[in-house]
């Protein structure tokens, strides 16, 4: 009797999602920090206090999928030692102006002249003003919370290939969606002009295709 064993291809296992939910920062006065972040317009998600002295406060920046947590009995870090927490914006100048209007001490907008200079550790590595041609990822501003925890505001207008989820198209805020619609509208106007100015009855499909392609860095429809 002959036994035949059939080889089978190994089953591909989908990698589990590991979504960054919150970053813990060390603070010395929880209520002061809570007021500071709420005054910035950050959403208060939680403020839980327990009998053993543990307290956790969570706030979320506008349009952000990830949050900031602080409290008591939550970290061994010394207050004010968190650094380089990125806040991504589509217009760093406008974002800076908004923070200044809220009373935050924000640096002037700058761009790094040397790799890593945005973190302030490279001598003479920062130059005044936005990056040349407002290159995506190239313009910054900084500010600190009352304890000195440092935030880095970075202007990102176009994501590099491979830095977006190709299976989903998401907009983190109403502002992001509005800017995407404006971009699609301008491009669609050129599309109609190339076709003799005739009204495009399929404009919703064209908009959708353009917005998805632009979001993922794919070839744009014409």
């Amino acid at each position: 009797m002959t036994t035949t064993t059939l080889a089978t291809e190994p089953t591909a296992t989908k990698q589990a999602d590991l979504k960054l939910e919150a970053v813990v920062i060390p603070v010395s006065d929880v209520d002061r920090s809570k007021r500071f972040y709420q005054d910035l317009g950050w959403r208060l998600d939680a403020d839980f206090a327990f009998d053993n002295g543990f307290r956790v406060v969570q706030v979320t920046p506008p349009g952000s999928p990830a949050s900031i947590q602080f409290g008591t009995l939550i970290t061994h870090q010394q207050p004010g030692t968190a650094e380089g927490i990125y806040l991504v914006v589509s217009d760093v100048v406008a974002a800076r102006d908004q923070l200044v209007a809220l009373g935050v001490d924000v640096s002037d907008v700058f761009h790094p002249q040397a790799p890593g200079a945005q973190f302030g550790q490279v001598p003479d590595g920062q130059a005044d003003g936005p990056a040349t041609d407002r290159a995506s990822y190239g313009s910054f501003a900084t500010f600190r919370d009352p304890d000195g925890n440092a935030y880095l505001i970075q202007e990102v207008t176009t994501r590099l290939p491979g830095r977006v989820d190709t299976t989903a198209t998401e907009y983190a805020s109403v502002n992001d969606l509005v800017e995407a619609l404006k971009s699609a509208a301008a491009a669609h106007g050129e599309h109609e002009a190339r076709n003799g100015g005739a009204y495009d009855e399929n404009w919703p499909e064209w908009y959708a295709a353009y917005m998805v392609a632009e979001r993922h860095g794919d070839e744009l429809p014409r």
Side-chain angles (χ1 to χ4, degrees):
M1 180 177 180
T2 302
T3 301
T4 303
T5 301
L6 298 178
T8 58
E9 292 293 328
T11 302
T13 301
K14 182 181 183 298
Q15 186 174 11
D17 289 342
L18 296 172
K19 298 179 180 179
L20 180 62
E21 181 71 14
V23 174
V24 174
I25 63 171
V27 304
S28 59
D29 186 324
V30 179
D31 289 319
R32 180 182 67 175
S33 296
K34 179 181 174 182
R35 288 192 301 270
F36 173 78
Y37 288 108
Q38 284 190 284
D39 287 346
L40 294 187
W42 293 23
R43 186 183 70 230
L44 177 64
D45 298 326
D47 184 354
F48 300 133
F50 299 87
D51 292 340
N52 65 352
F54 171 66
R55 180 181 176 188
V56 59
V57 175
Q58 178 170 303
V59 293
T60 301
S64 174
S67 305
I68 294 294
Q69 286 187 357
F70 51 87
T72 55
L73 302 181
I74 195 172
T75 178
H76 290 294
Q77 301 176 82
Q78 293 300 308
T81 56
E83 294 184 325
I85 304 173
Y86 274 78
L87 296 174
V88 171
V89 299
S90 57
D91 186 331
V92 68
V93 175
R96 180 190 180 277
D97 290 345
Q98 289 178 3
L99 287 170
V100 169
L102 292 171
V104 181
D105 184 11
V106 191
S107 76
D108 291 332
V109 174
F110 66 90
H111 62 277
Q113 290 183 306
Q118 64 267 32
F119 295 104
Q121 304 299 313
V122 178
D124 302 320
Q126 297 178 1
D128 294 338
T132 304
D133 299 327
R134 296 294 282 271
S136 191
Y137 299 101
S139 302
F140 298 87
T142 61
F143 73 94
R144 294 179 180 271
D145 74 0
D147 282 288
N149 295 305
Y151 289 88
L152 193 63
I153 308 170
Q154 181 183 38
E155 183 175 278
V156 177
T157 51
T158 303
R159 294 281 180 181
L160 291 173
R163 296 195 182 184
V164 293
D165 184 354
T166 58
T167 64
T169 303
E170 298 177 349
Y171 296 93
S173 68
V174 171
N175 288 337
D176 281 355
L177 180 56
V178 168
E179 292 304 315
L181 285 167
K182 287 180 179 178
S183 178
H188 188 260
E190 297 174 359
H191 165 75
E192 286 187 325
R194 285 192 296 269
N195 288 276
Y199 174 71
D200 179 14
E201 294 183 353
N202 296 319
W203 68 265
E205 291 86 349
W206 197 96
Y207 266 51
Y210 185 93
M211 291 169 68
V212 170
E214 184 180 47
R215 197 66 173 173
H216 294 289
D218 298 332
E219 182 177 355
L220 300 174
R222 290 177 57 82

